[in-house]
Amino acid sequence: YAAKRGKHGYEVWAPDGTPASRDRLETLEQLRAALDSEQLDNHYQPQLDLRTGAVVGVEALVRWNHPDRGLLYPGVFLPLAEQAGLMRRLALRVLERALRDLQIWRSAGHDLSVAVNLSVSNLQDVALPGQVEMLLDACKVPAGALVLEITEDVLMADAARSQQVMAGLRRLGVRLSVDDYGTGYSSLSYLRALPVDELKLDRSFVTHLTTDARAAAIVRSTLQLSRDLGMSMVVEGVEDADSLAALREWGCDVAQGYHISRPMPAERVLSWLTSRPVPAALKPGVRTGD
Ligand code: C2E
Ligand code: MG
Ligand code: MG
Ligand code: MG
């Protein structure tokens, strides 16, 4: 790994005098250690039901509180974890933390689900369903309150194996969501075959919703498609009130984005839930589109 120049190569681990490979090696050692420490942390971003305005779930997003570099985002360290074969440990770690946090919020009376992202390599791991089952039991969370997000490129690996893993997860009662929908490959053919419950439309379509008629057309037709397939649709990347209002008018089920809330540390979630500002587009009596 140290000598390889990966997709997210050295621009991230900039060589500061020392050879880049040594930097990577050091960072990798730090990441291994972080996986056993409190440095690796979940932040959570709320998801709103657009019909009722209720918060129906949160998405867990991994963060690394690096002792020298500060808060690191997944785009910076996931490629390294992937190359070093650390994704199984990382996924189990994020999952356990997410289920433990969820159990606390559910016991406090909030009927939420939690969505956890999986990588391509996680979907190749036939041990995953059994491990998920154990964690659900240990954390006393019903399987239906867990959503696992996969991306379209799971099928670029070993499709038969990932379908086997997905079927195992589904048998537990866990829900599966296609993340970044519309940006991967063969997005239509697998919809016939794969057991998925939800489409999560990529934010590139959502962010330009009000200024780009083509983006709007894609959002609306995907919404129609998800309905016809009996799936729900989540939109991510809602950054302004106008987009939220339009999505609500079009009958979109669930939305997530900076306009609702940025991702936040676990300890802020309960207070956010009880004192959150209701987006203007969802206030009772406010009609959209006029
Ligand atoms: P994602 O699953 O598509 O997550 C959404 C990303 O968009 C998050 O970035 C989130 O902070 C950001 N976002 C949310 N709302 C908005 C918005 O309104 N505008 C804009 N511009 N961005 C928004 P983040 O946290 O940096 O995560 C990036 C990606 O890293 C995630 O994309 C996901 O693919 C991956 N990831 C995060 N956590 C995990 C994990 O635990 N395991 C795996 N395998 N992947 C993860
Ligand atoms: Mg996601
Ligand atoms: Mg996404
Ligand atoms: Mg993404």
Side-chain angles (χ1 to χ4, degrees), residues 19-43:
S21 60
R22 196 184 301 161
D23 262 15
R24 283 175 68 79
L25 213 51
E26 190 190 328
T27 306
L28 184 54
E29 281 323 304
Q30 293 172 335
L31 181 57
R32 277 189 213 285
L35 276 164
D36 291 320
S37 79
E38 292 300 309
Q39 285 177 28
L40 219 67
D41 203 9
N42 290 358
H43 282 199

mmCIF file with all atom_site columns, all heavy atoms in Angstrom, residues 19-43:
data_model
loop_
_atom_site.group_PDB
_atom_site.id
_atom_site.type_symbol
_atom_site.label_atom_id
_atom_site.label_alt_id
_atom_site.label_comp_id
_atom_site.label_asym_id
_atom_site.label_entity_id
_atom_site.label_seq_id
_atom_site.pdbx_PDB_ins_code
_atom_site.Cartn_x
_atom_site.Cartn_y
_atom_site.Cartn_z
_atom_site.occupancy
_atom_site.B_iso_or_equiv
_atom_site.pdbx_formal_charge
_atom_site.auth_seq_id
_atom_site.auth_comp_id
_atom_site.auth_asym_id
_atom_site.auth_atom_id
_atom_site.pdbx_PDB_model_num
ATOM 1   N N   . PRO A 1 19 ? 9.221   11.519 2.838  1.00 0.00 ? 19 PRO A N   1
ATOM 2   C CA  . PRO A 1 19 ? 8.641   10.832 1.688  1.00 0.00 ? 19 PRO A CA  1
ATOM 3   C C   . PRO A 1 19 ? 7.166   10.533 1.917  1.00 0.00 ? 19 PRO A C   1
ATOM 4   O O   . PRO A 1 19 ? 6.761   10.200 3.022  1.00 0.00 ? 19 PRO A O   1
ATOM 5   C CB  . PRO A 1 19 ? 9.444   9.522  1.612  1.00 0.00 ? 19 PRO A CB  1
ATOM 6   C CG  . PRO A 1 19 ? 10.673  9.761  2.400  1.00 0.00 ? 19 PRO A CG  1
ATOM 7   C CD  . PRO A 1 19 ? 10.339  10.783 3.429  1.00 0.00 ? 19 PRO A CD  1
ATOM 8   N N   . ALA A 1 20 ? 6.370   10.692 0.856  1.00 0.00 ? 20 ALA A N   1
ATOM 9   C CA  . ALA A 1 20 ? 4.929   10.494 0.977  1.00 0.00 ? 20 ALA A CA  1
ATOM 10  C C   . ALA A 1 20 ? 4.603   9.105  1.505  1.00 0.00 ? 20 ALA A C   1
ATOM 11  O O   . ALA A 1 20 ? 3.677   8.923  2.271  1.00 0.00 ? 20 ALA A O   1
ATOM 12  C CB  . ALA A 1 20 ? 4.261   10.700 -0.377 1.00 0.00 ? 20 ALA A CB  1
ATOM 13  N N   . SER A 1 21 ? 5.371   8.109  1.098  1.00 0.00 ? 21 SER A N   1
ATOM 14  C CA  . SER A 1 21 ? 5.043   6.754  1.510  1.00 0.00 ? 21 SER A CA  1
ATOM 15  C C   . SER A 1 21 ? 5.189   6.588  3.020  1.00 0.00 ? 21 SER A C   1
ATOM 16  O O   . SER A 1 21 ? 4.423   5.883  3.647  1.00 0.00 ? 21 SER A O   1
ATOM 17  C CB  . SER A 1 21 ? 5.937   5.747  0.785  1.00 0.00 ? 21 SER A CB  1
ATOM 18  O OG  . SER A 1 21 ? 7.284   6.020  1.090  1.00 0.00 ? 21 SER A OG  1
ATOM 19  N N   . ARG A 1 22 ? 6.173   7.273  3.589  1.00 0.00 ? 22 ARG A N   1
ATOM 20  C CA  . ARG A 1 22 ? 6.338   7.180  5.037  1.00 0.00 ? 22 ARG A CA  1
ATOM 21  C C   . ARG A 1 22 ? 5.173   7.877  5.747  1.00 0.00 ? 22 ARG A C   1
ATOM 22  O O   . ARG A 1 22 ? 4.688   7.406  6.771  1.00 0.00 ? 22 ARG A O   1
ATOM 23  C CB  . ARG A 1 22 ? 7.675   7.794  5.466  1.00 0.00 ? 22 ARG A CB  1
ATOM 24  C CG  . ARG A 1 22 ? 8.051   7.369  6.877  1.00 0.00 ? 22 ARG A CG  1
ATOM 25  C CD  . ARG A 1 22 ? 9.313   8.031  7.347  1.00 0.00 ? 22 ARG A CD  1
ATOM 26  N NE  . ARG A 1 22 ? 10.435  7.742  6.489  1.00 0.00 ? 22 ARG A NE  1
ATOM 27  C CZ  . ARG A 1 22 ? 11.568  8.476  6.468  1.00 0.00 ? 22 ARG A CZ  1
ATOM 28  N NH1 . ARG A 1 22 ? 11.679  9.522  7.249  1.00 0.00 ? 22 ARG A NH1 1
ATOM 29  N NH2 . ARG A 1 22 ? 12.552  8.158  5.673  1.00 0.00 ? 22 ARG A NH2 1
ATOM 30  N N   . ASP A 1 23 ? 4.722   8.983  5.181  1.00 0.00 ? 23 ASP A N   1
ATOM 31  C CA  . ASP A 1 23 ? 3.540   9.667  5.716  1.00 0.00 ? 23 ASP A CA  1
ATOM 32  C C   . ASP A 1 23 ? 2.330   8.747  5.739  1.00 0.00 ? 23 ASP A C   1
ATOM 33  O O   . ASP A 1 23 ? 1.598   8.684  6.717  1.00 0.00 ? 23 ASP A O   1
ATOM 34  C CB  . ASP A 1 23 ? 3.189   10.858 4.814  1.00 0.00 ? 23 ASP A CB  1
ATOM 35  C CG  . ASP A 1 23 ? 3.734   12.143 5.388  1.00 0.00 ? 23 ASP A CG  1
ATOM 36  O OD1 . ASP A 1 23 ? 4.596   12.056 6.281  1.00 0.00 ? 23 ASP A OD1 1
ATOM 37  O OD2 . ASP A 1 23 ? 3.288   13.203 4.935  1.00 0.00 ? 23 ASP A OD2 1
ATOM 38  N N   . ARG A 1 24 ? 2.156   8.078  4.626  1.00 0.00 ? 24 ARG A N   1
ATOM 39  C CA  . ARG A 1 24 ? 0.996   7.192  4.535  1.00 0.00 ? 24 ARG A CA  1
ATOM 40  C C   . ARG A 1 24 ? 1.084   6.068  5.546  1.00 0.00 ? 24 ARG A C   1
ATOM 41  O O   . ARG A 1 24 ? 0.101   5.695  6.165  1.00 0.00 ? 24 ARG A O   1
ATOM 42  C CB  . ARG A 1 24 ? 0.889   6.598  3.126  1.00 0.00 ? 24 ARG A CB  1
ATOM 43  C CG  . ARG A 1 24 ? 0.334   7.579  2.118  1.00 0.00 ? 24 ARG A CG  1
ATOM 44  C CD  . ARG A 1 24 ? 0.373   6.981  0.737  1.00 0.00 ? 24 ARG A CD  1
ATOM 45  N NE  . ARG A 1 24 ? -0.558  5.860  0.591  1.00 0.00 ? 24 ARG A NE  1
ATOM 46  C CZ  . ARG A 1 24 ? -1.863  6.017  0.407  1.00 0.00 ? 24 ARG A CZ  1
ATOM 47  N NH1 . ARG A 1 24 ? -2.391  7.212  0.380  1.00 0.00 ? 24 ARG A NH1 1
ATOM 48  N NH2 . ARG A 1 24 ? -2.633  4.966  0.261  1.00 0.00 ? 24 ARG A NH2 1
ATOM 49  N N   . LEU A 1 25 ? 2.279   5.544  5.681  1.00 0.00 ? 25 LEU A N   1
ATOM 50  C CA  . LEU A 1 25 ? 2.489   4.453  6.621  1.00 0.00 ? 25 LEU A CA  1
ATOM 51  C C   . LEU A 1 25 ? 2.183   4.910  8.046  1.00 0.00 ? 25 LEU A C   1
ATOM 52  O O   . LEU A 1 25 ? 1.524   4.220  8.813  1.00 0.00 ? 25 LEU A O   1
ATOM 53  C CB  . LEU A 1 25 ? 3.953   4.009  6.521  1.00 0.00 ? 25 LEU A CB  1
ATOM 54  C CG  . LEU A 1 25 ? 4.248   2.531  6.737  1.00 0.00 ? 25 LEU A CG  1
ATOM 55  C CD1 . LEU A 1 25 ? 3.352   1.666  5.862  1.00 0.00 ? 25 LEU A CD1 1
ATOM 56  C CD2 . LEU A 1 25 ? 5.718   2.254  6.410  1.00 0.00 ? 25 LEU A CD2 1
ATOM 57  N N   . GLU A 1 26 ? 2.647   6.106  8.347  1.00 0.00 ? 26 GLU A N   1
ATOM 58  C CA  . GLU A 1 26 ? 2.401   6.642  9.681  1.00 0.00 ? 26 GLU A CA  1
ATOM 59  C C   . GLU A 1 26 ? 0.895   6.874  9.894  1.00 0.00 ? 26 GLU A C   1
ATOM 60  O O   . GLU A 1 26 ? 0.339   6.525  10.936 1.00 0.00 ? 26 GLU A O   1
ATOM 61  C CB  . GLU A 1 26 ? 3.168   7.956  9.844  1.00 0.00 ? 26 GLU A CB  1
ATOM 62  C CG  . GLU A 1 26 ? 3.161   8.470  11.274 1.00 0.00 ? 26 GLU A CG  1
ATOM 63  C CD  . GLU A 1 26 ? 3.709   9.890  11.363 1.00 0.00 ? 26 GLU A CD  1
ATOM 64  O OE1 . GLU A 1 26 ? 4.604   10.233 10.558 1.00 0.00 ? 26 GLU A OE1 1
ATOM 65  O OE2 . GLU A 1 26 ? 3.216   10.644 12.210 1.00 0.00 ? 26 GLU A OE2 1
ATOM 66  N N   . THR A 1 27 ? 0.259   7.462  8.877  1.00 0.00 ? 27 THR A N   1
ATOM 67  C CA  . THR A 1 27 ? -1.173  7.713  8.985  1.00 0.00 ? 27 THR A CA  1
ATOM 68  C C   . THR A 1 27 ? -1.943  6.407  9.137  1.00 0.00 ? 27 THR A C   1
ATOM 69  O O   . THR A 1 27 ? -2.910  6.325  9.896  1.00 0.00 ? 27 THR A O   1
ATOM 70  C CB  . THR A 1 27 ? -1.672  8.469  7.739  1.00 0.00 ? 27 THR A CB  1
ATOM 71  O OG1 . THR A 1 27 ? -0.867  9.631  7.575  1.00 0.00 ? 27 THR A OG1 1
ATOM 72  C CG2 . THR A 1 27 ? -3.120  8.879  7.905  1.00 0.00 ? 27 THR A CG2 1
ATOM 73  N N   . LEU A 1 28 ? -1.481  5.402  8.427  1.00 0.00 ? 28 LEU A N   1
ATOM 74  C CA  . LEU A 1 28 ? -2.133  4.105  8.515  1.00 0.00 ? 28 LEU A CA  1
ATOM 75  C C   . LEU A 1 28 ? -2.024  3.520  9.924  1.00 0.00 ? 28 LEU A C   1
ATOM 76  O O   . LEU A 1 28 ? -3.003  2.996  10.462 1.00 0.00 ? 28 LEU A O   1
ATOM 77  C CB  . LEU A 1 28 ? -1.496  3.154  7.491  1.00 0.00 ? 28 LEU A CB  1
ATOM 78  C CG  . LEU A 1 28 ? -2.105  1.769  7.362  1.00 0.00 ? 28 LEU A CG  1
ATOM 79  C CD1 . LEU A 1 28 ? -3.597  1.862  7.094  1.00 0.00 ? 28 LEU A CD1 1
ATOM 80  C CD2 . LEU A 1 28 ? -1.416  1.015  6.229  1.00 0.00 ? 28 LEU A CD2 1
ATOM 81  N N   . GLU A 1 29 ? -0.842  3.651  10.519 1.00 0.00 ? 29 GLU A N   1
ATOM 82  C CA  . GLU A 1 29 ? -0.681  3.182  11.902 1.00 0.00 ? 29 GLU A CA  1
ATOM 83  C C   . GLU A 1 29 ? -1.607  3.950  12.829 1.00 0.00 ? 29 GLU A C   1
ATOM 84  O O   . GLU A 1 29 ? -2.224  3.387  13.731 1.00 0.00 ? 29 GLU A O   1
ATOM 85  C CB  . GLU A 1 29 ? 0.781   3.334  12.364 1.00 0.00 ? 29 GLU A CB  1
ATOM 86  C CG  . GLU A 1 29 ? 1.698   2.233  11.839 1.00 0.00 ? 29 GLU A CG  1
ATOM 87  C CD  . GLU A 1 29 ? 1.026   0.861  11.789 1.00 0.00 ? 29 GLU A CD  1
ATOM 88  O OE1 . GLU A 1 29 ? 0.530   0.400  12.850 1.00 0.00 ? 29 GLU A OE1 1
ATOM 89  O OE2 . GLU A 1 29 ? 0.953   0.271  10.706 1.00 0.00 ? 29 GLU A OE2 1
ATOM 90  N N   . GLN A 1 30 ? -1.711  5.253  12.591 1.00 0.00 ? 30 GLN A N   1
ATOM 91  C CA  . GLN A 1 30 ? -2.601  6.078  13.426 1.00 0.00 ? 30 GLN A CA  1
ATOM 92  C C   . GLN A 1 30 ? -4.059  5.657  13.245 1.00 0.00 ? 30 GLN A C   1
ATOM 93  O O   . GLN A 1 30 ? -4.826  5.636  14.202 1.00 0.00 ? 30 GLN A O   1
ATOM 94  C CB  . GLN A 1 30 ? -2.436  7.555  13.060 1.00 0.00 ? 30 GLN A CB  1
ATOM 95  C CG  . GLN A 1 30 ? -1.075  8.116  13.427 1.00 0.00 ? 30 GLN A CG  1
ATOM 96  C CD  . GLN A 1 30 ? -0.880  9.523  12.888 1.00 0.00 ? 30 GLN A CD  1
ATOM 97  O OE1 . GLN A 1 30 ? -1.494  9.923  11.896 1.00 0.00 ? 30 GLN A OE1 1
ATOM 98  N NE2 . GLN A 1 30 ? -0.003  10.288 13.529 1.00 0.00 ? 30 GLN A NE2 1
ATOM 99  N N   . LEU A 1 31 ? -4.411  5.315  12.001 1.00 0.00 ? 31 LEU A N   1
ATOM 100 C CA  . LEU A 1 31 ? -5.785  4.908  11.736 1.00 0.00 ? 31 LEU A CA  1
ATOM 101 C C   . LEU A 1 31 ? -6.105  3.574  12.416 1.00 0.00 ? 31 LEU A C   1
ATOM 102 O O   . LEU A 1 31 ? -7.170  3.405  13.005 1.00 0.00 ? 31 LEU A O   1
ATOM 103 C CB  . LEU A 1 31 ? -6.026  4.814  10.224 1.00 0.00 ? 31 LEU A CB  1
ATOM 104 C CG  . LEU A 1 31 ? -7.440  4.424  9.765  1.00 0.00 ? 31 LEU A CG  1
ATOM 105 C CD1 . LEU A 1 31 ? -8.493  5.381  10.305 1.00 0.00 ? 31 LEU A CD1 1
ATOM 106 C CD2 . LEU A 1 31 ? -7.510  4.384  8.235  1.00 0.00 ? 31 LEU A CD2 1
ATOM 107 N N   . ARG A 1 32 ? -5.172  2.648  12.344 1.00 0.00 ? 32 ARG A N   1
ATOM 108 C CA  . ARG A 1 32 ? -5.356  1.372  13.048 1.00 0.00 ? 32 ARG A CA  1
ATOM 109 C C   . ARG A 1 32 ? -5.594  1.607  14.536 1.00 0.00 ? 32 ARG A C   1
ATOM 110 O O   . ARG A 1 32 ? -6.482  1.010  15.140 1.00 0.00 ? 32 ARG A O   1
ATOM 111 C CB  . ARG A 1 32 ? -4.103  0.514  12.912 1.00 0.00 ? 32 ARG A CB  1
ATOM 112 C CG  . ARG A 1 32 ? -4.017  -0.275 11.639 1.00 0.00 ? 32 ARG A CG  1
ATOM 113 C CD  . ARG A 1 32 ? -2.828  -1.241 11.746 1.00 0.00 ? 32 ARG A CD  1
ATOM 114 N NE  . ARG A 1 32 ? -2.194  -1.463 10.453 1.00 0.00 ? 32 ARG A NE  1
ATOM 115 C CZ  . ARG A 1 32 ? -2.723  -2.219 9.499  1.00 0.00 ? 32 ARG A CZ  1
ATOM 116 N NH1 . ARG A 1 32 ? -3.865  -2.837 9.711  1.00 0.00 ? 32 ARG A NH1 1
ATOM 117 N NH2 . ARG A 1 32 ? -2.115  -2.352 8.339  1.00 0.00 ? 32 ARG A NH2 1
ATOM 118 N N   . ALA A 1 33 ? -4.786  2.485  15.116 1.00 0.00 ? 33 ALA A N   1
ATOM 119 C CA  . ALA A 1 33 ? -4.936  2.781  16.538 1.00 0.00 ? 33 ALA A CA  1
ATOM 120 C C   . ALA A 1 33 ? -6.278  3.479  16.801 1.00 0.00 ? 33 ALA A C   1
ATOM 121 O O   . ALA A 1 33 ? -6.960  3.189  17.785 1.00 0.00 ? 33 ALA A O   1
ATOM 122 C CB  . ALA A 1 33 ? -3.772  3.645  17.022 1.00 0.00 ? 33 ALA A CB  1
ATOM 123 N N   . ALA A 1 34 ? -6.663  4.372  15.894 1.00 0.00 ? 34 ALA A N   1
ATOM 124 C CA  . ALA A 1 34 ? -7.909  5.126  16.068 1.00 0.00 ? 34 ALA A CA  1
ATOM 125 C C   . ALA A 1 34 ? -9.121  4.192  16.084 1.00 0.00 ? 34 ALA A C   1
ATOM 126 O O   . ALA A 1 34 ? -10.107 4.446  16.773 1.00 0.00 ? 34 ALA A O   1
ATOM 127 C CB  . ALA A 1 34 ? -8.059  6.163  14.959 1.00 0.00 ? 34 ALA A CB  1
ATOM 128 N N   . LEU A 1 35 ? -9.015  3.096  15.330 1.00 0.00 ? 35 LEU A N   1
ATOM 129 C CA  . LEU A 1 35 ? -10.127 2.143  15.269 1.00 0.00 ? 35 LEU A CA  1
ATOM 130 C C   . LEU A 1 35 ? -10.402 1.508  16.627 1.00 0.00 ? 35 LEU A C   1
ATOM 131 O O   . LEU A 1 35 ? -11.490 0.980  16.855 1.00 0.00 ? 35 LEU A O   1
ATOM 132 C CB  . LEU A 1 35 ? -9.826  1.053  14.239 1.00 0.00 ? 35 LEU A CB  1
ATOM 133 C CG  . LEU A 1 35 ? -10.160 1.412  12.792 1.00 0.00 ? 35 LEU A CG  1
ATOM 134 C CD1 . LEU A 1 35 ? -9.500  0.469  11.809 1.00 0.00 ? 35 LEU A CD1 1
ATOM 135 C CD2 . LEU A 1 35 ? -11.672 1.398  12.589 1.00 0.00 ? 35 LEU A CD2 1
ATOM 136 N N   . ASP A 1 36 ? -9.418  1.531  17.505 1.00 0.00 ? 36 ASP A N   1
ATOM 137 C CA  . ASP A 1 36 ? -9.608  0.994  18.856 1.00 0.00 ? 36 ASP A CA  1
ATOM 138 C C   . ASP A 1 36 ? -9.788  2.095  19.889 1.00 0.00 ? 36 ASP A C   1
ATOM 139 O O   . ASP A 1 36 ? -9.768  1.836  21.079 1.00 0.00 ? 36 ASP A O   1
ATOM 140 C CB  . ASP A 1 36 ? -8.396  0.145  19.273 1.00 0.00 ? 36 ASP A CB  1
ATOM 141 C CG  . ASP A 1 36 ? -8.321  -1.140 18.467 1.00 0.00 ? 36 ASP A CG  1
ATOM 142 O OD1 . ASP A 1 36 ? -9.383  -1.749 18.229 1.00 0.00 ? 36 ASP A OD1 1
ATOM 143 O OD2 . ASP A 1 36 ? -7.199  -1.519 18.073 1.00 0.00 ? 36 ASP A OD2 1
ATOM 144 N N   . SER A 1 37 ? -9.910  3.317  19.438 1.00 0.00 ? 37 SER A N   1
ATOM 145 C CA  . SER A 1 37 ? -9.968  4.414  20.410 1.00 0.00 ? 37 SER A CA  1
ATOM 146 C C   . SER A 1 37 ? -11.230 5.242  20.203 1.00 0.00 ? 37 SER A C   1
ATOM 147 O O   . SER A 1 37 ? -12.042 4.959  19.339 1.00 0.00 ? 37 SER A O   1
ATOM 148 C CB  . SER A 1 37 ? -8.752  5.320  20.236 1.00 0.00 ? 37 SER A CB  1
ATOM 149 O OG  . SER A 1 37 ? -8.964  6.187  19.132 1.00 0.00 ? 37 SER A OG  1
ATOM 150 N N   . GLU A 1 38 ? -11.351 6.260  21.000 1.00 0.00 ? 38 GLU A N   1
ATOM 151 C CA  . GLU A 1 38 ? -12.506 7.153  20.890 1.00 0.00 ? 38 GLU A CA  1
ATOM 152 C C   . GLU A 1 38 ? -12.323 8.178  19.774 1.00 0.00 ? 38 GLU A C   1
ATOM 153 O O   . GLU A 1 38 ? -13.215 8.983  19.514 1.00 0.00 ? 38 GLU A O   1
ATOM 154 C CB  . GLU A 1 38 ? -12.741 7.878  22.219 1.00 0.00 ? 38 GLU A CB  1
ATOM 155 C CG  . GLU A 1 38 ? -13.210 6.961  23.336 1.00 0.00 ? 38 GLU A CG  1
ATOM 156 C CD  . GLU A 1 38 ? -14.522 6.257  23.003 1.00 0.00 ? 38 GLU A CD  1
ATOM 157 O OE1 . GLU A 1 38 ? -15.478 6.937  22.608 1.00 0.00 ? 38 GLU A OE1 1
ATOM 158 O OE2 . GLU A 1 38 ? -14.572 5.014  23.106 1.00 0.00 ? 38 GLU A OE2 1
ATOM 159 N N   . GLN A 1 39 ? -11.166 8.148  19.120 1.00 0.00 ? 39 GLN A N   1
ATOM 160 C CA  . GLN A 1 39 ? -10.927 9.130  18.050 1.00 0.00 ? 39 GLN A CA  1
ATOM 161 C C   . GLN A 1 39 ? -11.899 8.964  16.901 1.00 0.00 ? 39 GLN A C   1
ATOM 162 O O   . GLN A 1 39 ? -12.271 9.921  16.238 1.00 0.00 ? 39 GLN A O   1
ATOM 163 C CB  . GLN A 1 39 ? -9.500  8.983  17.509 1.00 0.00 ? 39 GLN A CB  1
ATOM 164 C CG  . GLN A 1 39 ? -8.428  9.536  18.417 1.00 0.00 ? 39 GLN A CG  1
ATOM 165 C CD  . GLN A 1 39 ? -7.039  9.303  17.852 1.00 0.00 ? 39 GLN A CD  1
ATOM 166 O OE1 . GLN A 1 39 ? -6.847  9.216  16.647 1.00 0.00 ? 39 GLN A OE1 1
ATOM 167 N NE2 . GLN A 1 39 ? -6.069  9.185  18.740 1.00 0.00 ? 39 GLN A NE2 1
ATOM 168 N N   . LEU A 1 40 ? -12.294 7.718  16.637 1.00 0.00 ? 40 LEU A N   1
ATOM 169 C CA  . LEU A 1 40 ? -13.241 7.477  15.563 1.00 0.00 ? 40 LEU A CA  1
ATOM 170 C C   . LEU A 1 40 ? -14.647 7.652  16.122 1.00 0.00 ? 40 LEU A C   1
ATOM 171 O O   . LEU A 1 40 ? -14.997 7.053  17.128 1.00 0.00 ? 40 LEU A O   1
ATOM 172 C CB  . LEU A 1 40 ? -13.061 6.064  15.016 1.00 0.00 ? 40 LEU A CB  1
ATOM 173 C CG  . LEU A 1 40 ? -13.214 5.980  13.504 1.00 0.00 ? 40 LEU A CG  1
ATOM 174 C CD1 . LEU A 1 40 ? -12.077 6.705  12.823 1.00 0.00 ? 40 LEU A CD1 1
ATOM 175 C CD2 . LEU A 1 40 ? -13.263 4.540  13.070 1.00 0.00 ? 40 LEU A CD2 1
ATOM 176 N N   . ASP A 1 41 ? -15.438 8.459  15.451 1.00 0.00 ? 41 ASP A N   1
ATOM 177 C CA  . ASP A 1 41 ? -16.674 8.918  16.031 1.00 0.00 ? 41 ASP A CA  1
ATOM 178 C C   . ASP A 1 41 ? -17.755 8.977  14.954 1.00 0.00 ? 41 ASP A C   1
ATOM 179 O O   . ASP A 1 41 ? -17.444 9.201  13.791 1.00 0.00 ? 41 ASP A O   1
ATOM 180 C CB  . ASP A 1 41 ? -16.417 10.323 16.600 1.00 0.00 ? 41 ASP A CB  1
ATOM 181 C CG  . ASP A 1 41 ? -17.397 10.703 17.675 1.00 0.00 ? 41 ASP A CG  1
ATOM 182 O OD1 . ASP A 1 41 ? -18.172 9.837  18.119 1.00 0.00 ? 41 ASP A OD1 1
ATOM 183 O OD2 . ASP A 1 41 ? -17.374 11.881 18.071 1.00 0.00 ? 41 ASP A OD2 1
ATOM 184 N N   . ASN A 1 42 ? -18.994 8.821  15.357 1.00 0.00 ? 42 ASN A N   1
ATOM 185 C CA  . ASN A 1 42 ? -20.099 9.003  14.417 1.00 0.00 ? 42 ASN A CA  1
ATOM 186 C C   . ASN A 1 42 ? -20.716 10.379 14.596 1.00 0.00 ? 42 ASN A C   1
ATOM 187 O O   . ASN A 1 42 ? -21.014 10.772 15.727 1.00 0.00 ? 42 ASN A O   1
ATOM 188 C CB  . ASN A 1 42 ? -21.225 7.990  14.671 1.00 0.00 ? 42 ASN A CB  1
ATOM 189 C CG  . ASN A 1 42 ? -20.854 6.571  14.310 1.00 0.00 ? 42 ASN A CG  1
ATOM 190 O OD1 . ASN A 1 42 ? -19.755 6.313  13.816 1.00 0.00 ? 42 ASN A OD1 1
ATOM 191 N ND2 . ASN A 1 42 ? -21.771 5.649  14.555 1.00 0.00 ? 42 ASN A ND2 1
ATOM 192 N N   . HIS A 1 43 ? -20.934 11.087 13.509 1.00 0.00 ? 43 HIS A N   1
ATOM 193 C CA  . HIS A 1 43 ? -21.827 12.222 13.540 1.00 0.00 ? 43 HIS A CA  1
ATOM 194 C C   . HIS A 1 43 ? -23.139 11.773 12.905 1.00 0.00 ? 43 HIS A C   1
ATOM 195 O O   . HIS A 1 43 ? -23.187 10.746 12.240 1.00 0.00 ? 43 HIS A O   1
ATOM 196 C CB  . HIS A 1 43 ? -21.230 13.412 12.790 1.00 0.00 ? 43 HIS A CB  1
ATOM 197 C CG  . HIS A 1 43 ? -20.190 14.139 13.592 1.00 0.00 ? 43 HIS A CG  1
ATOM 198 N ND1 . HIS A 1 43 ? -19.789 15.434 13.325 1.00 0.00 ? 43 HIS A ND1 1
ATOM 199 C CD2 . HIS A 1 43 ? -19.462 13.744 14.668 1.00 0.00 ? 43 HIS A CD2 1
ATOM 200 C CE1 . HIS A 1 43 ? -18.873 15.801 14.209 1.00 0.00 ? 43 HIS A CE1 1
ATOM 201 N NE2 . HIS A 1 43 ? -18.648 14.803 15.032 1.00 0.00 ? 43 HIS A NE2 1
#
